[in-house]
Amino acid sequence: MNKYEITPRLPKLLHGADYNPEQWLKVPGIFEKDIEYMKKAGFNCATVGVFSWSMLEPEEGVYDFSWLDKVINTLYENGIYTILATPTGARPVWMTHKYPEVSRVERNLVRNRHGGRHNHCYTSPVYRRKTREMNTRLAERYANNPAVIMWHISNEISGQCFCPLCQAAFRKWLKKKYVTLEALNDAWYTTFWSQRYTDWEQIEPPVENGMTVMHGLNLDWNRFCTEQTVDFYREEIKPLKEINPDIPCTINLMMFHTVLDYSKFMPYLDAVSWDAYPMWHNHTDEFGNALATAFNHDWMRSYMDKPFMMMENTPSTTNWHGSCRLKAPGMLKLSSIQALAHGSNTVQYFQFRQSNGSCEKFHSAVVSHRGKDDTMIFKNVAEVGEILKKLNDDLYYTTVNARVAIIYDIENKWAIEDSKGPRNDGMHYDDIAMSHYRAFWENGVACDVIDSTKDFSKYDILIAPMLYMLKDDVAKRLAEFVKSGKTLVSTYFTGLVNENDLCYNGDLPALGLNEVFGFWEEDIDALCDHQSNEIVINSGALSGSHTSIYICDLIHPTTAEVIGRYGKDWYKGMAALTKNRFGDGEAYYFATHPDYSLLKPFYESLIDKHGIRRALNAPLPFGVTASIREGENGEVLFIENFLRDSVKVSLPEGKDYTDLLSGEILSGEIELEPLGARVLK
Ligand code: GLA
Ligand code: ZN
């Protein structure tokens, strides 16, 4: 498959929605109306079959695919392709009653009753068999139907199961990993509080009324749950791939979802897709949502380093938000263009027709209970359909290429969040990562969001905020990165523990990073929420007193140059921001978390130093960002205005641009309407 393509059967920008026609089988005329509306909205695909199990296998071994045949084939006759879901995110009631083992057991060791979704055990041989039986039938019937372009596996795979089967599998996994109990006892530091295991059978997961504070156990349990889920996924796709290996498989991931370490799925996925539900209009401005969504888009793109799918977003309201705000005029278009700007090759919605009953009946849909197309939502969706058609040829074979990356590592996050101290009031890993990312986003500089195990060599600037856990050969690769002439930026709470969350001894940050950064770290002071310190810089462009919060790391420079010093408290005058020349490169260290007023100029100088291109050659007004997609079809420039006011920006001098949406030829200063976006060539 070409690296830009989502699916070879339809190499185009995709526009579609989750579609659940099985909820409407008894209402004559609805399906025909839906097809008419989908065509009118410019759909070329629909995601069908999510949660359809009880309609496909109403009784054990009794299958009914007739309705699905009709849906898939009729959609196809009308130019709409099917992304076919496997229905395993929820199961029929009969299965729970006949096979109690399929129900998930929660952390309190109570087995769930039937209900909801994502309520199954990933280990259960019965659930795996039932999944195989269903998926084999689906593949036999549809994998060679040209209407089906992709498999959507289950839905928002998530959660953990603590049942006896999972516990036994965990112990087996541990035996394979550690071989001896001695090794496990050492890795988990079980001598503490007299927890040494003398038999594998004594090991339990971190259940609610059991051992919840053993960090090595918690980490391994999270790792096991991820691997077991990946294993389930691999079993799930086996029959699909056996029958037609060319149909891509994806799972829809979630915003900032870190119960599972998604990176472990990557070798087995053909495309990354995710579901974007920011709380637009819930705050005084759209800035925070825009930034967080951009970060998540970049995280998703970076996983496979190629275009991804926005598998779901809401046409307007999201029924599980605190207050369900309608998307204001412009917002759907802007958020769709935002996804494209970061490398999405799809805009898809949850869902096409609003449900009449149950808990999502007030989640907005392309077609609401009113059943009309003369609505703002429908018109907005149809406008996005037009936009995708206009952009297709210029955009499809392109992606975002970044020379900057932020390390956002999930195992590291698990360990930080599990840590007792230094700051139980919050270490804010996500927010810290985003505050460093923000400087690039605001400058129109592409930034990847990567796992610490990824290859660093293609980047010039690498930011490793709070890289607390140094696993594998990460420290060595960071040192090589700097040595080769690149720039590394890191912060307090870096290089303290190994992959089992056991503290390193001696010089910190560990494994030679003390030499990369040119200091040794003595201790960590944590500030209360109402307290702050400051980084005082006496010369150069960053001069001034910059407020800092959360953590104050006390460090003693050896070879590092001190750029800024603490301005307050008994450690006033000690180093707070340092720079060290290491090999041909430089390593910076923020010993405390500075205000963005320092991060912004700090990163702007690094951007300039490395000659990294800004999409618009200039810093952008607050609330505005820009990005470039490039590839076989040349370059496309995106400008997004998340302000509720119009704004002016200047295009790079001496160039004429074509607005791909309006056809206008533009140069010099241009205006963007409130919540406006431009796509230029
Ligand atoms: C998730 C699910 C959908 C639907 C939406 C509602 O993303 O995948 O099935 O429940 O949330 O926002
Ligand atoms: Zn289980």
Side-chain angles (χ1 to χ4, degrees), residues 99-128:
Y99 306 103
E101 72 165 56
V102 301
S103 289
R104 190 168 291 182
V105 171
E106 299 292 342
R107 201 176 279 274
N108 58 9
L109 291 183
V110 176
R111 193 179 289 279
N112 289 339
R113 310 290 303 171
H114 186 86
R117 52 184 182 177
H118 315 300
N119 187 9
H120 50 273
C121 169
Y122 289 110
T123 306
S124 156
V126 172
Y127 202 65
R128 286 177 175 228

Coordinates of all heavy atoms in Angstrom, one line a residue, residues 99-128:
Y99 N -22.6 -18.1 28.7 CA -21.1 -18.2 29.0 C -20.7 -17.1 29.9 O -20.1 -16.1 29.5 CB -20.3 -18.1 27.7 CG -20.7 -19.0 26.6 CD1 -21.4 -18.6 25.5 CD2 -20.3 -20.4 26.7 CE1 -21.8 -19.5 24.5 CE2 -20.6 -21.3 25.6 CZ -21.4 -20.8 24.6 OH -21.7 -21.7 23.5
P100 N -20.9 -17.2 31.2 CA -20.6 -16.1 32.2 C -19.2 -15.7 32.1 O -18.9 -14.5 32.4 CB -20.9 -16.7 33.5 CG -21.9 -17.9 33.3 CD -21.6 -18.4 31.9
E101 N -18.3 -16.5 31.6 CA -16.8 -16.1 31.7 C -16.5 -15.0 30.7 O -15.5 -14.4 30.8 CB -15.9 -17.3 31.3 CG -16.0 -17.7 29.8 CD -14.9 -18.6 29.3 OE1 -14.7 -19.7 29.9 OE2 -14.2 -18.3 28.4
V102 N -17.4 -14.7 29.8 CA -17.1 -13.6 28.9 C -17.3 -12.2 29.5 O -16.8 -11.2 29.0 CB -18.0 -13.7 27.6 CG1 -17.8 -15.0 26.8 CG2 -19.5 -13.4 27.9
S103 N -17.9 -12.1 30.6 CA -18.2 -10.8 31.3 C -16.9 -10.4 32.0 O -16.2 -11.2 32.7 CB -19.3 -10.9 32.3 OG -20.5 -11.0 31.6
R104 N -16.7 -9.1 32.0 CA -15.5 -8.6 32.6 C -15.6 -8.5 34.1 O -16.7 -8.3 34.6 CB -15.3 -7.2 32.0 CG -14.0 -6.5 32.4 CD -13.7 -5.3 31.6 NE -13.5 -5.5 30.2 CZ -13.2 -4.6 29.3 NH1 -13.1 -3.3 29.6 NH2 -13.0 -4.9 28.0
V105 N -14.5 -8.7 34.7 CA -14.4 -8.6 36.2 C -13.6 -7.3 36.5 O -12.5 -7.1 35.9 CB -13.7 -9.8 36.9 CG1 -13.4 -9.5 38.3 CG2 -14.5 -11.0 36.7
E106 N -14.2 -6.4 37.3 CA -13.5 -5.1 37.6 C -12.5 -5.3 38.7 O -12.3 -6.3 39.3 CB -14.6 -4.1 38.0 CG -15.7 -3.8 36.9 CD -15.1 -3.1 35.7 OE1 -14.0 -2.5 35.7 OE2 -15.8 -3.2 34.6
R107 N -11.8 -4.1 38.9 CA -10.7 -4.1 39.9 C -11.2 -4.5 41.3 O -10.4 -4.9 42.1 CB -10.2 -2.7 39.9 CG -8.8 -2.5 40.5 CD -8.4 -1.1 40.4 NE -7.9 -0.7 39.1 CZ -6.6 -0.9 38.7 NH1 -5.7 -1.4 39.5 NH2 -6.2 -0.6 37.5
N108 N -12.5 -4.4 41.6 CA -13.0 -4.8 42.9 C -13.3 -6.3 42.9 O -13.9 -6.8 43.9 CB -14.3 -4.0 43.2 CG -15.4 -4.2 42.2 OD1 -15.2 -5.1 41.3 ND2 -16.4 -3.5 42.2
L109 N -12.9 -7.0 41.9 CA -13.1 -8.5 41.7 C -14.5 -8.9 41.6 O -14.9 -10.1 41.8 CB -12.4 -9.2 42.8 CG -10.8 -9.1 42.8 CD1 -10.2 -10.0 43.9 CD2 -10.3 -9.6 41.4
V110 N -15.4 -8.0 41.3 CA -16.8 -8.3 41.1 C -17.1 -8.5 39.6 O -16.7 -7.6 38.9 CB -17.8 -7.3 41.7 CG1 -19.2 -7.6 41.4 CG2 -17.6 -7.1 43.2
R111 N -17.7 -9.6 39.2 CA -17.9 -9.8 37.8 C -19.1 -8.9 37.4 O -20.2 -8.9 38.1 CB -18.2 -11.3 37.5 CG -18.2 -11.5 36.0 CD -18.4 -13.0 35.7 NE -17.3 -13.9 36.0 CZ -16.2 -14.1 35.3 NH1 -16.0 -13.5 34.2 NH2 -15.3 -15.0 35.7
N112 N -19.0 -8.2 36.3 CA -20.0 -7.3 35.8 C -21.2 -8.2 35.4 O -21.1 -9.3 34.9 CB -19.6 -6.5 34.6 CG -18.6 -5.4 35.0 OD1 -18.6 -5.0 36.1 ND2 -17.8 -4.9 34.0
R113 N -22.4 -7.6 35.5 CA -23.6 -8.2 34.9 C -23.6 -7.8 33.4 O -22.7 -7.0 33.0 CB -24.9 -7.6 35.5 CG -24.9 -7.6 37.0 CD -25.0 -9.0 37.6 NE -26.3 -9.6 37.1 CZ -26.5 -10.9 37.3 NH1 -25.7 -11.7 38.0 NH2 -27.7 -11.4 36.8
H114 N -24.5 -8.3 32.7 CA -24.6 -7.9 31.3 C -24.9 -6.5 31.2 O -25.7 -5.9 32.0 CB -25.7 -8.7 30.5 CG -25.6 -8.4 29.0 ND1 -24.8 -9.1 28.2 CD2 -26.2 -7.4 28.3 CE1 -24.9 -8.5 27.0 NE2 -25.8 -7.5 27.0
G115 N -24.3 -5.8 30.3 CA -24.7 -4.4 30.1 C -23.6 -3.5 29.5 O -22.4 -3.9 29.5
G116 N -24.0 -2.4 28.9 CA -23.0 -1.5 28.3 C -22.2 -2.1 27.2 O -22.7 -3.0 26.5
R117 N -21.0 -1.6 27.1 CA -20.1 -2.1 26.0 C -18.8 -2.2 26.6 O -18.6 -1.7 27.8 CB -20.2 -1.2 24.8 CG -19.9 0.3 25.1 CD -20.1 1.2 23.9 NE -19.8 2.6 24.3 CZ -19.8 3.6 23.5 NH1 -20.1 3.4 22.2 NH2 -19.5 4.8 23.9
H118 N -17.8 -2.7 25.9 CA -16.4 -2.9 26.4 C -16.5 -3.6 27.8 O -16.0 -3.2 28.8 CB -15.7 -1.5 26.6 CG -15.9 -0.6 25.4 ND1 -15.4 -1.0 24.2 CD2 -16.4 0.6 25.3 CE1 -15.7 0.0 23.3 NE2 -16.4 0.9 24.0
N119 N -17.3 -4.6 27.8 CA -17.6 -5.3 29.0 C -17.2 -6.8 28.9 O -17.9 -7.6 29.4 CB -19.1 -5.1 29.4 CG -19.4 -5.7 30.7 OD1 -18.5 -6.0 31.5 ND2 -20.7 -5.7 31.0
H120 N -16.2 -7.0 28.1 CA -15.8 -8.4 27.9 C -14.4 -8.7 28.4 O -13.6 -7.8 28.5 CB -16.0 -8.9 26.4 CG -15.3 -7.9 25.5 ND1 -16.0 -6.8 25.0 CD2 -14.1 -7.9 24.9 CE1 -15.2 -6.2 24.2 NE2 -14.0 -6.8 24.1
C121 N -14.1 -10.0 28.5 CA -12.8 -10.4 28.9 C -11.9 -10.7 27.7 O -12.4 -11.3 26.7 CB -12.9 -11.7 29.7 SG -11.3 -12.5 30.0
Y122 N -10.7 -10.1 27.6 CA -9.9 -10.3 26.5 C -9.2 -11.7 26.5 O -8.6 -12.1 25.5 CB -8.8 -9.2 26.4 CG -9.4 -7.9 26.0 CD1 -9.5 -6.9 26.9 CD2 -9.9 -7.7 24.7 CE1 -10.0 -5.6 26.6 CE2 -10.5 -6.5 24.4 CZ -10.5 -5.5 25.3 OH -11.1 -4.3 25.0
T123 N -9.2 -12.4 27.6 CA -8.6 -13.7 27.7 C -9.5 -14.8 27.4 O -9.1 -15.8 26.8 CB -8.0 -13.8 29.1 OG1 -7.1 -12.7 29.4 CG2 -7.1 -15.1 29.2
S124 N -10.8 -14.7 27.8 CA -11.8 -15.7 27.7 C -11.7 -16.5 26.4 O -11.9 -15.9 25.3 CB -13.2 -15.1 27.8 OG -14.1 -16.0 27.2
P125 N -11.4 -17.8 26.4 CA -11.4 -18.6 25.2 C -12.8 -18.6 24.5 O -12.8 -18.6 23.3 CB -11.0 -20.0 25.7 CG -10.4 -19.8 27.0 CD -11.0 -18.6 27.6
V126 N -13.8 -18.5 25.3 CA -15.1 -18.5 24.7 C -15.3 -17.2 23.8 O -15.7 -17.2 22.7 CB -16.3 -18.6 25.7 CG1 -17.6 -18.4 25.1 CG2 -16.2 -19.9 26.4
Y127 N -15.0 -16.1 24.4 CA -15.2 -14.8 23.7 C -14.3 -14.8 22.5 O -14.7 -14.3 21.4 CB -14.9 -13.6 24.6 CG -15.6 -12.3 24.1 CD1 -17.0 -12.3 24.0 CD2 -14.9 -11.3 23.6 CE1 -17.6 -11.2 23.5 CE2 -15.5 -10.2 23.0 CZ -16.9 -10.1 23.0 OH -17.6 -9.0 22.5
R128 N -13.1 -15.3 22.6 CA -12.2 -15.4 21.4 C -12.8 -16.3 20.3 O -12.7 -16.0 19.2 CB -10.8 -15.9 21.9 CG -10.0 -14.8 22.6 CD -8.7 -15.2 23.1 NE -8.0 -14.1 23.7 CZ -6.7 -13.8 23.4 NH1 -6.0 -14.5 22.6 NH2 -6.1 -12.7 24.0

